[in-house]
Each structure stands twice: as C-alpha cells, then as structure tokens.
Amino acid sequence: MGTPTATIRPKLQSLNPATGELFAEFDPASDADVKAAVARAQQAAPAWRALGVHDRARYLLRLKDVLYDRRNEIAALITREAGKPLVESLVAEVLVALDTLDYFARHAAAFLAPQDVPHHNLAVRLKRGRLEYEPYGVIGIISPSNYPLSIPIGEMAPALVAGNTVVLKPSEFTPQIGLAIGELLEAAELPPGVATVILGDGTTGRALVSAGIDKLIFTGSVPTGKRIQAAAAERLLPTVLELGGKDPMIVCADADLNLASSGAVWGAFTNAGQACLSVERCYVVRSVAEKFTRLCMEKAKQLRVGPGDDPSTDVGPLIRERQVRIVEEHVADAVAQGAVVLCGGRRPAAGGQGSGVGGQGTATIGEASPTPNSELRPALSLSPVPRPPSPGFFYEPTVLAGVHHGMRIMREETFGPVLPIMAVDDEAQAVALANDSEFGLSASVWTRDLARGERLARQIQAGAVMVNDCISYFGVCEAPHGGVKASGIGRSHSRLGLMEMVRVKYIDVDLVPKLPKLWWFRYDGMVRPMQGFVEFLFAGGVRRRVWGLASALAGLGKRRV
Ligand code: NAD
C-alpha cells in the first residue's frame, strides 16, 4: 500500500467581478477546522440557551448597532466582491440585514412564548397541554454568493435568538464578506463559540453537513440542495432548503403597462439577474404584448452596465465567468430555436461599460414583436462583428421575444440578466404555463383589478405571489420565504422561519392524577363502557348520547377491578 497523499485544495479567490482582478486568496477550512468549529458551538450551546430570549435579543441589537456603524464600509465591500451596484448593496443587503436583526430582536420573545393547548375532548379536559419551543443545539448555515450579507444574517438572526449556536459557511466567491460577518460578530461580543464563520467551498460545506450539527439551513442551487438532502438523509439531519427558481410574471390585459414593464425590467435585471426571485419568464396577454414588450425593450436599453462602484451603474457584472457562459448558452439555445433578441444578447464590448445598452443596439421601436406576425425585428445579430470582450463578467440586459417552453431559457434557471417574453392567449394559458415548471419559488401578477390578481395568485404553484410588484417581499420581515416543488423545503424569514429553528415540545400535566384512567390496564369488563363512551362522544342526536353515557356508567359499575 502506498502512503496516503494529502489532497491539495484550491484556494478561495476573492475577485473583482467587474475586472477579474484578484484581491486575495484564502485557504478553505479543513475537515478538522470544521469539526473544531462545531465542537466549540456545541460547548457554547448550553450557556447560550440558558441566557434566555431577552438577553439573546440584546446581542442581536448589538450586532445591528455594529453593522449600522460600519454600514457604508460593508456596502462598499459587497460591491467590490459581489459586483452589485452600491445602491443594491445598501438596500438589499445592509438595510435588509439591519431590519431582520431588529425584527427578530423585538418579536422573538413573543413568538417563542409557550402556548397553552386547550383540549377539545371532554375525556382529557383534566389535563393541561402546553407547547414549548426548544433550540436544536448547533445550526449549520450554508449560504450562496448572490446576497452574501442579507441571506446569512437573515438565517443567523432567528437561529441565534431561538437559543441555537451557529456555524456559517458563506460562499466561496465572497470570502471577504464572510470574514466581515465574523468581525461583526466579534465586535458585538457574542460569547466564544456562539457564532463562527468558516471559509470554504463545496468540500467544506459537505464536511459541515456531517460534523455533528443538529440542523442545516441551506440556500443555493437545486443540484447542490439534492446532494445535501441525500447526505442529510444518512444521518436524519433536519434541513431547510432554500433553492433556485424560475419565477414567472403574468401581465394581464388590464395591467398598467408602464408599471408592469418597469417591474419586469427591474425584476429581471436587478443584481444582474442573480436573484432567486428574479423575473425569469414573462407571460403577457397577446392584446397588450406588443406595447408591453416595446416598453421593456426601451427601458432595458436605457440601463447602464458597469462596475458597481460607479454611481451611474444600474446593472453590474455577474459573479463569475462560469455564470456568464450559462447565460450565453441559454440565449444561444433560444435563438437557435427562433427567439428574437430585442436588445442585449451579448457581452458588452471593452470600453462599452458605463454606457446604456441602447447605445450599442440598433433596434428601432416598432420593429420588434413577440408574435410571429409581428412587425418587430431583432435589434442585434447574434454573430456580430468581432470585438474585444470587456474584462470582468458582464452581460448586457437582454430582452427576448418569440420564446416557447421547448427552450432552456424558459425551463432552466438562467440566473442572469435576461427577460424572455412570451405572448399568451389569456390568463388561463398564462397560469398553465407558469405552473409548467419544476420550480415554484415565487411569481407575480400584474393587473389593475386586485381581486383578479389575488384569484390568479391562488392558482399559481409558488411559495409566494406578489400582485403589482416582484421580489420586494424578500425585504418584508413578516413574509415567509420558501418554495414549493424543486424550489425547496421549509421556510425562512418571518415567524415561520423562526419556528424552523426550534423543536416543538408538547408538555402535558395531569391536573387530577388520582382520578382513575379508564384506558389503563386491566381491560377485562371495559368493552361495554368504552362502547358507551364512544356513543356518548360521537353519536348523532342527544338521545343516543345520553344512552351511551348511561351504558358506559352501567358497564363501569359492573366492572370487577
Ligand atoms: P451553489 O449551490 O453553487 O452554492 C451554494 C452554497 O453551497 C455555497 O456556499 C457552496 O460552497 C455550497 N456547496 C456546494 N456544494 C456543496 C455540497 N456538496 N455540500 C454542502 N455545501 C455545498 O449556489 P450559488 O451559485 O452560490 O447560488 C445560486 C443559487 O442559489 C441559485 O440557484 C439561486 O436561485 C439559489 N438561491 C436561492 C435562494 C432562496 O432563498 N431560495 C436565495 C438565494 C439563492
């Protein structure tokens, strides 16, 4: 036998997605590091639990204060390492994280208070039931790259306030933001071991799943979620899986088209399309399709693509080159099957960043349409004159028409700045197509008739549906977040997300313990009384019930103890 060789693991790279420049490299945590972090969390758990919810909430408020003190620096770091425009770093990351800490600090005690359980059955009225909520112990959190602050904080806050200790493994693409979260925890003076950040990649994540944690909260893609669920099944590890989406947007004939097109463009292109809740498919009723599509195209062409730290930038880069290639593949597949590129559809040229996409396109309004009979034509040829690609991982905001469900762009998560628009006959067809997907994270319906909006919302298979807005509910602390079908299992955010961080224990106290329990041994002579009791409790009509009670009492009288 040869001597075992140590595997050399690739370093984690902190890159500037706008330029590809390498900022720093980090060693991923080893299996031993992961086990040590979990062991420290296990040791810290009893004292943290004993502290009580009010004191734990005070730590959350301290964490909020230290994050607030460093808000601009942290937002700039997010923009540097994740690429998103500074406005998005402030709103979708810092503001959401601050609000989440505040929300759980203020409401956890009420949500976690023991609850009396009144008994409806006469036979057990002399027992007092109560639900109590206990922390799991150590919660492992594995988070993705697209919201590297607000997602981990959104999961750590309820886990900690419920009395769990936490080990967080952030995305390998945002190690410096992970380290900054560690610094914030330290600055908030959480007791040692209560919350630890370990840097690493998928291998580190795998090690965390099997390191003795008591529950795992995972946010990421469907393939990784499936692998994790299989590993978790081996040890019956409870999980929450927040996975990918292919969120549909339905535009009704009566929609405010100006509002809906602005919503579509923001919903598809915010964070360069890298939101689990992005608008990834749009179904518009045919009578308004041409106008809606034209508005989307015009608005998309006005967006400025560039580095996130340029204040005029609307759409930043994607996180990595691999993600740009996926977007290119989806667009190429759609075009090969007849889709029309109304704007975008390519990487920006070198030096083209910072300018609106419209500056490079050639489309004329009135030339493109989502329907075959359309007068609208492609804005761009997909085999353009060769031009030097821009550095960094940019892709132009892209509007596609003439798409159908045989295309990858309508079935697989693209996770990039593409808005495919499909004209439909009516709302019923839109709902059928929206539901024709393995995903079910969220959806949106756009109509002036709010009752119609709610009716359609009920027909869509998704964890959440917004009427006349999209994505924004992610920032509403009271709104549960989570998917149906392949989009996940369980919920995060809100009271329901807090409930995922606790085991429910039922405590039952017999108030009159000396009263004989008729269902105990011995059974001899008990058939008739029990038949009587069943009659008494459940028979239709007063006479039969009275007869049942009398028969039960008579039977008991004859019973030999
Ligand atoms: P990803 O699945 O590639 O990685 C997510 C995390 O899992 C990373 O930290 C990664 O290191 C870790 N990981 C990878 N393999 C692992 C393994 N075998 N065991 C344990 N951990 C492992 O996802 P990503 O590219 O970082 O994020 C994008 C995906 O996340 C998209 O599909 C998006 O829709 C989804 N997402 C979902 C939500 C939601 O709330 N539903 C939110 C944000 C992102």
Side-chain angles (χ1 to χ4, degrees), residues 142-146 151 169-172 201-202 205-206 218-221 224 227-228 242-245 276 413 415 441 481:
I142 297 179
S143 54
S145 57
N146 59 338
I151 288 180
K169 192 211 80 66
S171 166
E172 58 269 48
D201 49 16
R206 259 202 312 277
F218 170 75
T219 310
S221 62
T224 310
R227 278 196 286 277
I228 284 182
E242 294 285 3
L243 307 179
C276 54
E413 188 179 38
F415 218 55
L441 194 51
H481 174 68

Side-chain angles (χ1 to χ4, degrees), residues 179-256:
L179 289 177
I181 294 175
E183 286 168 18
L184 293 171
L185 294 165
E186 219 175 299
E189 295 178 344
L190 267 83
V194 165
T196 309
V197 180
I198 46 167
L199 295 189
D201 49 16
T203 307
T204 317
R206 259 202 312 277
L208 181 57
V209 174
S210 53
I213 55 174
D214 300 292
K215 184 158 185 174
L216 177 74
I217 314 295
F218 170 75
T219 310
S221 62
V222 173
T224 310
K226 286 181 178 171
R227 278 196 286 277
I228 284 182
Q229 190 72 337
E234 284 295 316
R235 47 195 76 238
L236 294 178
L237 177 69
T239 56
V240 169
L241 302 179
E242 294 285 3
L243 307 179
K246 188 77 196 167
D247 288 1
M249 165 173 187
I250 294 179
V251 183
C252 301
D254 71 342
D256 174 338

Side-chain angles (χ1 to χ4, degrees), residues 378-403:
L380 299 165
S381 150
L382 262 198
S383 44
V385 203
R387 47 191 199 145
S390 67
F393 315 125
F394 290 95
Y395 196 84
E396 289 182 359
T398 299
V399 179
L400 297 180
V403 294

